[in-house]
Amino acid sequence: MTSYGDPAFSLFLRKAFIKAAGYSDDALDRPIVGIIDTASDYNPCHGNAPQLIEAVKRGVMLSGALPMVFPTISIHESFAHPTSMVLRNLMAMDTEEMVRAQPMDAVVVVGGCDKTLPAQIMGAISADLPTVVVPVGPMVVGHHKGETLGACTDCRRLWSSRRAGEIDAAEIELVNGRLAPSVGTCMVMGTASTMAIIAETMGLAIAFAASIPAPLAERVRSAEASGRVAAALAVSGRPFPSELVTPASIRNAMVVMQAIGGSTNGIIHLAAIAGRAGHAVDLADFDRIGREVPVLVDLKPSGEHYMEHFHEAGGVPRLLAELAGFLDLSVPVIGGGTLADRVMRRQDMHEQQVIRPLGQPLKAQGAMAVLSGNLCPRGAIIKHSAATPALMQHTGRAVVFESVADLAERIDDPDLDVAADDVLVLRNAGPKGAPGMPEAGYIPIPKKLAAEGVKDMVRLSDARMSGTAFGTVILHVSPEAAAGGPLGLVRDGDRIRLDVAGRRIDLLVDDAELARRAATTRPAVERPERGYAQLYHDHVLQADQGCDFDFLVAPPAAAADIEEAAQ
């Protein structure tokens, strides 16, 4: 706490100023629970945050503790220039430093939109104060002409129809007002849903917190219950987030991510979360898990349903029951006990179609595969559960775009030399190159091909893709072109071979020619002149390491010390 040299005077001064807000000595003598407010007029995903904060405060006070609300950065995916990923690390730093700076015994983080929960969890691990995660919850579904709609999988599908001339301007405008019918995060298995489920799986949130729709009274009651848990943590002082983010819970998160058809962004965020606790995500292990663990959750974009249906089916506790054989159920969770205590009992289950049994999976293998090959020495990711099966083995001619700006300028040029069996390549769109890995990896089908009925193509980039998107899209090529990765050596007309079953993507150019190209190719990225942009450029790690800052990752030795202290 703030000190002025004399400890007694420092306390006297702090109390004098906080009493200006009307607090009594009785209130100030109680355990303090900080509550992070990420409400913002720019963030409709967090539109229910004020109501949830009031519920958390109620739970804290009913348990005899004092709630103290304070703001941090709020990030909305659609209103974060240049990208939300650039700002994730800044929000994580803000979260960490504000938790450190202010007196509190435990903290509740309230958030949801894609980069918010990862940033809050990253900051909470580094501050290492007992933490409860409260997701804001998913939107309810929309409707149009008898069809159920969900942001933003159906945004992309219907916009593709508009580009192909199948929907006119009047109808697409009508659809625009129906895709996101309430506050809350995207109601498909996008990044927000993925990370909320991961937070619950890792024991950072209470049971069912990931899936309750944002507008429901049940969501408010969950927030109140989270406040009660936070008050108990403020008294007990344990567990710390670093005690919950362990190799075992990280592996559990990878199992669940594969089984839910999770967002490709999830593996980047999980790597960053793991790094804050001094651990690493093993991409080879993630791929092995994907070969063993099938997709069980029938949600868009891999399936047909939405988050409110997942919740009605039993949410994470119901899913844990199916995945029990793949999970370490001995890991601790907030509120006491272990993950085993969260597993839904068979007698509490009902008939449903959203969470499949192991014997009847939606997809035989997990959502994502990790590719290697001469184009991605440190890996690349494909969400093959949402891709076109016929393109899982494909060889095509490269059509190269040098940047996001180049892509926007030329993709719909009627003179673009492109055919349906080509491979669209976007580079200089990675952590440094863009900067911040925009969700540009979902390269649109060139308009002239869309008009011919082409729905999918092999697309390759060092960028990211929204978790709500679908298609045969290879992402997170590491290292990126702007960091000297081999993606920068691809030329128009080169042949590229994708073999998802063999877990490879290769540029079919001999090593000698690649060496000649490398000798004359320089990364096309300039160092920003000042400020946070320069800090980001100088210190951001590559996708396989979570795109965190190198100076914020905990050394492995620190993780061992944490585990020893916990024991």
Side-chain angles (χ1 to χ4, degrees):
M1 291 185 290
T2 308
S3 175
Y4 296 92
D6 178 343
F9 174 72
S10 299
L11 176 60
F12 172 78
L13 193 63
R14 286 194 300 268
K15 288 182 69 175
F17 277 107
I18 199 65
K19 283 184 175 181
Y23 290 102
S24 66
D25 285 326
D26 178 42
L28 296 174
D29 284 342
R30 294 173 184 271
I32 298 173
V33 175
I35 304 170
I36 293 180
D37 181 2
T38 55
S40 165
D41 286 351
Y42 288 104
N43 197 339
C45 291
H46 294 194
N48 63 337
Q51 185 182 22
L52 298 182
I53 288 167
E54 288 304 311
V56 173
K57 288 171 63 178
R58 184 167 64 246
V60 170
M61 288 190 286
L62 287 170
S63 301
L66 176 64
M68 298 290 285
V69 180
F70 62 98
T72 66
I73 288 170
S74 181
I75 302 174
H76 189 273
E77 190 65 27
S78 299
F79 299 102
H81 179 79
T83 73
S84 59
M85 186 62 111
V86 167
L87 297 175
R88 184 202 66 179
N89 293 352
L90 184 61
M91 184 178 182
M93 294 170 73
D94 184 13
T95 301
E96 174 184 350
E97 297 307 329
M98 288 301 97
V99 171
R100 286 186 191 280
Q102 299 166 132
M104 63 191 77
D105 301 295
V107 64
V108 176
V109 300
V110 179
C113 192
D114 294 8
K115 308 307 175 290
T116 301
L117 285 185
Q120 291 179 319
I121 295 169
M122 290 160 65
I125 295 167
S126 295
D128 222 18
L129 197 72
T131 302
V132 180
V133 174
V134 175
V136 296
M139 302 173 192
V140 294
V141 298
H143 300 277
H144 177 67
K145 291 185 175 179
E147 180 184 4
T148 302
L149 297 181
C152 204
T153 297
D154 294 312
C155 310
R156 301 173 192 282
R157 177 179 62 83
L158 293 168
W159 188 254
S160 294
S161 297
R162 170 64 179 146
R163 284 172 55 82
E166 299 166 5
I167 294 178
D168 64 23
E171 183 169 359
I172 201 68
E173 186 64 23
L174 190 62
V175 166
N176 186 253
R178 295 175 173 176
L179 282 161
S182 77
V183 298
T185 56
C186 290
M187 67 290 262
V188 298
M189 194 55 73
T191 305
S193 299
T194 298
M195 296 314 301
I197 289 171
I198 293 309
E200 185 175 332
T201 299
M202 297 183 82
L204 294 161
I206 69 172
F208 298 103
S211 57
I212 305 167
L216 297 193
E218 186 182 355
R219 169 59 64 188
V220 180
R221 289 193 291 271
S222 176
E224 181 185 303
S226 297
R228 287 182 175 274
V229 170
L233 295 180
V235 174
S236 67
R238 305 295 274 271
F240 300 127
S242 59
E243 295 170 348
L244 300 179
V245 180
T246 64
S249 70
I250 292 165
R251 193 177 191 283
N252 285 347
M254 290 194 288
V255 169
V256 168
M257 200 181 302
Q258 293 283 20
I260 62 177
S263 166
T264 50
N265 287 304
I267 193 63
I268 294 181
H269 296 317
L270 184 61
I273 288 166
R276 291 298 183 101
H279 307 299
V281 164
D282 184 344
L283 289 180
D285 190 31
F286 184 58
D287 187 72
R288 283 191 295 271
I289 290 168
R291 291 181 182 271
E292 299 170 2
V293 177
V295 177
L296 298 182
V297 177
D298 188 356
L299 254 67
K300 288 190 174 186
S302 297
E304 292 300 321
H305 299 286
Y306 300 88
M307 280 298 288
E308 65 185 71
H309 306 132
F310 175 69
H311 181 63
E312 291 165 3
V316 172
R318 176 69 179 80
L319 179 63
L320 295 178
E322 291 298 338
L323 294 173
F326 297 102
L327 299 169
D328 183 342
L329 297 175
S330 69
V331 298
V333 298
I334 58 163
T338 67
L339 193 62
D341 301 317
R342 301 271 187 94
V343 177
M344 185 175 284
R345 301 176 303 173
R346 291 290 168 185
Q347 60 265 37
D348 295 331
M349 297 179 187
H350 61 276
E351 195 71 25
Q352 48 83 37
Q353 304 298 321
V354 179
I355 303 171
R356 303 280 191 92
L358 273 177
Q360 301 173 33
L362 181 69
K363 309 278 184 178
Q365 291 192 345
M368 285 171 266
V370 179
L371 306 179
S372 60
N374 67 356
L375 273 172
C376 50
R378 285 165 52 181
I381 299 289
I382 181 171
K383 188 173 181 177
H384 57 121
S385 65
T388 301
L391 292 174
M392 293 298 91
Q393 287 193 321
H394 181 81
T395 301
R397 186 184 60 145
V399 178
V400 181
F401 298 94
E402 291 293 335
S403 65
V404 176
D406 182 39
L407 172 69
E409 182 178 347
R410 294 196 296 123
I411 190 66
D412 289 335
D413 187 341
D415 295 326
L416 180 67
D417 181 12
V418 65
D421 59 354
D422 288 339
V423 177
L424 304 179
V425 177
L426 170 64
R427 61 184 172 216
N428 296 310
K432 291 180 184 289
M437 294 183 77
E439 292 186 344
Y442 185 71
I443 301 170
I445 304 299
K447 187 174 287 188
K448 68 180 183 180
L449 296 182
E452 296 171 5
V454 176
K455 301 296 185 185
D456 195 11
M457 296 173 67
V458 175
R459 288 160 275 183
L460 170 67
S461 76
D462 45 16
R464 296 180 297 112
M465 176 176 81
S466 169
T468 66
F470 50 88
T472 310
V473 185
I474 298 96
L475 305 154
H476 311 175
V477 169
S478 186
E480 63 177 310
L487 195 64
L489 307 181
V490 182
R491 303 289 182 264
D492 282 326
D494 287 347
R495 305 285 287 176
I496 293 175
R497 181 174 60 215
L498 171 65
D499 177 10
V500 175
R503 297 300 197 262
R504 292 192 65 86
I505 185 160
D506 290 288
L507 180 63
L508 303 182
V509 174
D510 65 65
D511 291 343
E513 172 60 20
L514 291 178
R516 283 192 292 272
R517 293 180 186 181
T520 59
T521 301
R522 296 291 177 267
V525 60
E526 295 183 4
R527 185 175 186 247
E529 293 182 357
R530 61 181 297 278
Y532 179 70
Q534 187 182 95
L535 177 75
Y536 188 92
H537 176 275
D538 289 350
H539 294 284
V540 70
L541 298 169
Q542 290 294 293
D544 59 316
Q545 298 170 300
C547 298
D548 200 1
F549 290 152
D550 51 17
F551 59 83
L552 293 176
V553 176
D561 293 342
I562 289 168
E563 290 181 7
E564 182 178 345
Q567 292 171 359

